Amino acid sequence: MLVVRHLVVHYGTAEALRGMSFSVAAGETVALVGANGAGKTTTLRAIMGLVRPSGGSVVLDGREVTGSSPAAMVRRGLALSPEGREVFPELTVEENLRLGALVLQLSRAEEGRRLDEVYHRFPRLLERRTQAAGTLSGGEQQMLAMGRALMARPRLLLLDEPSLGLAPKITDEIFAIIRGLARSGTAILIVEQNAARALTASSRAYLVAGGRIVHEGESRQLLLDPVLRRAFLGAASDHNPAASRLGAAGLTNIRLEKPLMNQNFMPSFTSPEELAAHQLRGLQWTVRHAYEGCSAYRAKLEAAGIRPEDIQSLEDLRRLPFTTAEDLRDGYPFPLRAVPYEQLVRIHASSGTTGKRKVLCYTQKDIDDWMYLFARCYQMAGVTPLDRVQIAVGYGVWTAGVGFQLGCEKIGALAIPVGPGNIDMQIQFLLDFQSTVFCSTASMALLMAEEIHRRGLAEKIAVRKIIYGSERSSRSMRAKISELFGGAELFDITGLTELYGPGMGIECPDHDCIHYWADYYILEIVDPQTLQPLPDGEWGEMVVTTLCKEGAPLLRYRTRDITRIIPGPCTCGTVLPRHSRIKGRTDDTIKFRGVNIYPSSVDAILSSIPGLGSEYQMHLTRDEAGRDHLRLVVERGQGVERARGMDLEREIEHQVKKQLLVSIRAEVVDYGSLPRSERKSKRVFDTRIQDEIV
Ligand code: ZN
């Protein structure tokens, strides 16, 4: 009956409607649901001819009627009950009603019949027929506005915010009348901020935000969809839509102003050839950018005899010198900076001892790219704008929390930035906010899982996805986390600060591999000893080269992470290439409670404490609660008396806490009691991961 196509309305230069398209069939009740300012009222006014559209069309019964006068629209069978009722307060109820049929120029007898019909439907108006409309209650004025519209006997009634400002009981009454009208065959287009009400009263609904339709479906389906219900309707239910009147309106206000549901962050290339061409352009740009913008890179490239114009194919990548963590530490603080300081908008740093942190700098484009890539991670994990993402990773100078946050907001989901630790608060938020996605390290996820299990809360939380990273995890650990979280799906996310941060790749829904963002960086696998590239499928060290990073580009950066490229396409269907989950690290770096500990930092601390020997061992264990422990066993110096042991232990614990920011337990043992080796002693005993890495 009514078809609205690409309707555009401007108020001055502001665009109120940005291409609204929807339809209403004869006799159907259709709801437009959305927040204040979403464009719902403007839509009704444009259909009715009260505002002139600057684009698009309104088609009624197959005839274009765009821009017709309000009177003409009434004659064609439309009537509007406007927002705010707009009754004439000085006129009586009956005088107000007569105005509704004025343009139809009815006979006195016909007008009388229609008045009777309206009074029959609204007995309250009959009681008040000679009263000035200004003396009516809000609910009665709403009845009057509807009654006045019905005087034209419309085939399609446009109802704008019928429940606005009314008490729940009065709203029930108004909606009972609306249902009666619908049963009598009048088509109704209802605009409502109270989503629960509108969905209960209608058969189909469109969700409106930013002057556009963002979602549509059968109202019953929308109302029953558990995700949508949590997101849009608060505690409302089909049986008790009024329960969350305020909650619904409030949540609707927040959520409908967000990005569109169907944003796509996946790459545009469709074939390996297209990707290769894109990578070559990016590589050529990066080498030139690094050469021209960064003296350290220039010196390295010159030493290797390479000029930017030498990069003619992707094979030429192998001629580039490697970049290492040492390059970053030696040139502290900004060795890889390739743009002027004025173009930088942010720095991040990785953990490390004072003065030896790895510091990376970002331009606005770098931040935007990172945000985009992180949004891609969420998209691959199936996170939508309806999700509530509890972010339990660290916020601060390191890249974790802020990256999770950027991507979450980009995709339009609700971010709950809790940060790490604080199990009680995490649990409370999982319950109170019904978070649907939980982001943390693997050991934090395990800790939470155990706690949820211990308190018997698996049934009461709503987590359906867990995104975790920064740590190795075993198959059995994953299975346990998933089980105790009530069957949540796990996604391993990868990344490193040197690249952009976390979010550089993620496990796909088929859970066999990590897809990585080959349109933003090239991933090579090299033999960690010979540094020669290894064929696809073989395990080796991951080396990355960025393709468009401005602030601190990476040329063949050795990540020390051990993985392998998995050849061939994935069952999930994406064209993005993939690698195995990270198996470990080539150097002895220990990841402990989210902090990278380099054996060299431990060496430095121990040798600064008088009375200690040079031999030590680090024992990493994981207890039943999933908490990691580090025990540092150190020999006393030769000739140092045993009685000093306790003091030395306290001093080691104190210095490690102060310099590495982690709590450990120290144990001082007799000189000569630790095993010696002619080659490099084994110092690290990590029993945290016991079973197979997948
Ligand atoms: Zn896949």
Side-chain angles (χ1 to χ4, degrees):
M1 179 183 185
L2 176 75
V3 180
V4 173
R5 284 199 198 104
H6 309 299
L7 202 62
V8 177
V9 170
H10 286 87
Y11 289 128
T13 56
E15 210 175 18
L17 297 188
R18 305 174 178 205
M20 288 281 283
S21 297
F22 64 93
S23 62
V24 183
E28 191 184 26
T29 303
V30 172
L32 297 180
V33 180
N36 276 330
K40 309 185 303 291
T41 293
T42 303
T43 305
L44 295 193
R45 293 176 63 80
I47 293 169
M48 207 56 207
L50 290 162
V51 294
R52 181 167 282 278
S54 42
S57 61
V58 178
V59 175
L60 188 65
D61 304 320
R63 267 186 64 190
E64 164 131 21
V65 294
T66 322
S68 299
S69 72
M73 293 310 284
V74 171
R75 282 193 289 271
R76 291 194 170 104
L78 261 63
L80 170 69
S81 167
E83 184 188 13
R85 289 112 207 182
E86 294 180 13
V87 299
F88 294 92
E90 310 295 328
L91 302 183
T92 65
V93 167
E94 191 153 306
E95 285 164 340
N96 267 284
L97 288 176
R98 286 180 202 280
L99 289 174
L102 198 63
V103 301
L104 299 177
Q105 296 174 311
L106 303 176
S107 67
R108 201 154 180 83
E110 178 60 20
E111 192 183 65
R113 273 197 290 280
R114 295 197 181 186
L115 274 172
D116 287 346
E117 274 175 26
V118 170
Y119 288 141
H120 181 70
R121 211 173 276 284
F122 300 97
R124 203 92 69 87
L125 296 182
L126 181 61
E127 290 167 28
R128 308 257 192 275
R129 57 189 286 261
T130 57
Q131 238 172 278
T135 65
L136 300 182
S137 71
E140 288 162 349
Q141 289 192 10
Q142 181 57 45
M143 291 175 194
L144 179 54
M146 287 164 64
R148 184 180 56 193
L150 291 177
M151 284 295 286
R153 250 189 222 159
R155 292 178 299 131
L156 172 59
L157 174 65
L158 310 181
L159 265 177
D160 197 354
E161 299 281 5
S163 76
L164 193 70
L166 302 183
K169 196 159 165 262
I170 309 296
T171 305
D172 288 344
E173 221 173 302
I174 297 287
F175 271 86
I177 293 164
I178 293 170
R179 276 193 294 275
L181 275 171
R183 272 197 301 275
S184 73
T186 309
I188 299 172
L189 177 59
I190 182 170
V191 149
E192 254 290 345
Q193 206 180 323
N194 186 332
R197 285 287 189 187
L199 294 180
T200 312
S202 59
S203 56
R204 281 193 309 122
Y206 296 87
L207 306 185
V208 186
R212 281 195 196 95
I213 303 294
V214 293
H215 198 67
E216 62 173 288
E218 284 183 23
S219 301
R220 177 159 293 266
Q221 223 80 57
L222 294 176
L223 199 59
L224 292 179
D225 182 328
V227 178
L228 198 71
R229 208 169 73 204
R230 270 197 298 275
F232 288 87
L233 308 176
S237 72
D238 199 21
H239 304 295
N240 189 13
S244 70
R245 190 188 148 72
L246 291 176
L251 280 171
T252 304
N253 268 334
I254 296 163
R255 305 234 15 142
L256 284 180
E257 294 303 327
K258 298 199 310 181
L260 298 174
M261 308 278 281
N262 54 0
Q263 292 184 105
N264 183 22
F265 300 99
M266 291 301 163
S268 52
F269 67 85
T270 53
S271 69
E273 294 72 31
E274 221 178 306
L275 171 63
H278 170 86
Q279 286 185 331
L280 178 58
R281 284 193 299 274
L283 179 64
Q284 287 169 330
W285 177 86
T286 299
V287 172
R288 181 166 296 281
H289 177 64
Y291 184 86
E292 288 171 358
C294 171
S295 51
Y297 273 134
R298 188 183 197 119
K300 276 186 158 229
L301 289 167
E302 279 176 349
I306 295 169
R307 297 185 54 81
E309 51 272 25
D310 296 340
I311 306 299
Q312 292 299 326
S313 77
L314 284 177
E315 293 300 304
D316 292 328
L317 174 65
R318 298 182 177 190
R319 300 172 55 195
L320 297 178
F322 288 96
T323 308
T324 63
E326 287 68 41
D327 292 326
L328 265 165
R329 294 204 199 91
D330 294 346
Y332 182 87
F334 298 116
L336 305 187
R337 180 177 59 86
V339 299
Y341 280 108
E342 307 83 71
Q343 288 187 29
L344 298 178
V345 300
R346 196 191 287 174
I347 64 150
H348 280 294
S350 67
S351 46
T353 49
T354 316
K356 290 293 179 189
R357 291 178 210 286
K358 286 177 275 182
V359 181
L360 281 304
C361 46
Y362 299 69
T363 65
Q364 186 57 55
K365 180 184 183 295
D366 295 336
I367 299 287
D368 291 346
D369 286 347
W370 185 21
M371 173 162 68
Y372 182 87
L373 294 179
F374 220 121
R376 183 186 286 181
C377 291
Y378 283 122
Q379 185 182 341
M380 183 157 273
V383 177
T384 76
L386 302 181
D387 277 301
R388 300 170 175 202
V389 183
Q390 188 158 327
I391 302 170
V393 299
Y395 281 77
V397 76
W398 42 90
T399 47
V402 68
F404 279 88
Q405 179 91 19
L406 279 172
C408 180
E409 287 169 354
K410 180 69 180 172
I411 203 156
L414 172 65
I416 304 168
V418 193
N422 215 334
I423 302 291
D424 280 337
M425 186 164 76
Q426 303 282 6
I427 299 249
Q428 194 190 338
F429 285 1
L430 287 183
L431 290 170
D432 294 353
F433 303 153
Q434 291 288 291
S435 311
T436 55
V437 180
F438 187 76
C439 305
S440 72
T441 61
S443 52
M444 173 77 181
L446 183 63
L447 217 72
M448 285 290 293
E450 300 271 13
E451 196 58 25
I452 287 162
H453 177 67
R454 200 176 63 75
R455 301 188 192 185
L457 298 175
E459 298 291 302
K460 295 185 178 142
I461 59 169
V463 174
R464 59 190 188 98
K465 290 173 195 295
I466 295 170
I467 298 176
Y468 74 95
S470 102
E471 242 179 331
R472 289 177 294 154
S473 61
S474 64
R475 206 188 278 275
S476 63
M477 185 177 181
R478 284 167 58 92
K480 190 166 183 192
I481 294 170
S482 171
E483 182 201 329
L484 299 184
F485 256 100
E489 195 178 3
L490 269 66
F491 293 88
D492 190 347
I493 196 167
T494 60
L496 62 161
T497 301
E498 296 90 315
L499 206 39
Y500 286 89
M504 296 301 106
I506 194 166
E507 194 172 330
C508 74
D510 287 2
H511 301 293
D512 282 332
C513 58
I514 306 276
H515 287 278
Y516 68 94
W517 314 145
D519 47 344
Y520 282 76
Y521 64 94
I522 296 175
L523 190 153
E524 294 174 88
I525 302 293
V526 304
D527 181 311
Q529 260 76 50
T530 65
L531 299 183
Q532 289 306 304
L534 291 168
D536 287 358
E538 284 190 29
W539 294 92
E541 181 177 338
M542 175 170 131
V543 171
V544 292
T545 301
T546 57
L547 296 173
C548 59
K549 197 159 177 271
E550 295 178 340
L554 296 181
L555 293 183
R556 301 193 89 192
Y557 182 75
R558 293 184 57 188
T559 66
R560 314 281 170 173
D561 284 331
I562 299 290
T563 184
R564 60 173 175 168
I565 288 175
I566 304 178
C570 181
T571 49
C572 77
T574 175
V575 292
L576 285 157
R578 57 207 183 119
H579 62 77
S580 286
R581 293 223 284 278
I582 307 297
K583 192 179 188 179
R585 293 182 59 80
T586 57
D587 55 18
D588 282 330
T589 308
I590 298 153
K591 197 119 196 178
F592 176 62
R593 295 188 186 169
V595 174
N596 273 327
I597 298 179
Y598 300 99
S600 58
S601 334
V602 177
D603 285 341
I605 290 171
L606 295 181
S607 44
S608 73
I609 301 173
L612 291 178
S614 62
E615 287 304 313
Y616 70 92
Q617 287 183 350
M618 297 163 80
H619 294 267
L620 286 136
T621 52
R622 183 166 288 165
D623 64 21
E624 281 173 7
R627 181 176 285 269
D628 288 354
H629 299 277
L630 172 54
R631 189 162 57 93
L632 198 51
V633 183
V634 191
E635 288 185 5
R636 280 194 304 280
Q638 200 167 10
V640 176
E641 73 246 34
R642 188 173 279 194
R644 284 192 55 204
M646 288 261 281
D647 289 342
L648 286 170
E649 284 169 6
R650 295 298 86 76
E651 181 62 13
I652 294 166
E653 288 167 3
H654 173 71
Q655 288 301 332
V656 169
K657 176 85 190 170
K658 190 171 140 190
Q659 298 189 42
L660 302 182
L661 308 176
V662 291
S663 297
I664 61 134
R665 198 159 70 74
E667 188 183 329
V668 172
V669 297
D670 289 346
Y671 176 76
S673 62
L674 293 179
R676 279 19 182 198
S677 163
E678 281 176 23
R679 298 174 60 213
K680 202 178 161 198
S681 301
K682 182 170 168 61
R683 299 189 192 281
V684 179
F685 300 83
D686 191 345
T687 61
R688 293 178 296 178
I689 307 287
Q690 278 157 349
D691 55 358
E692 175 205 4
I693 306 283
V694 287

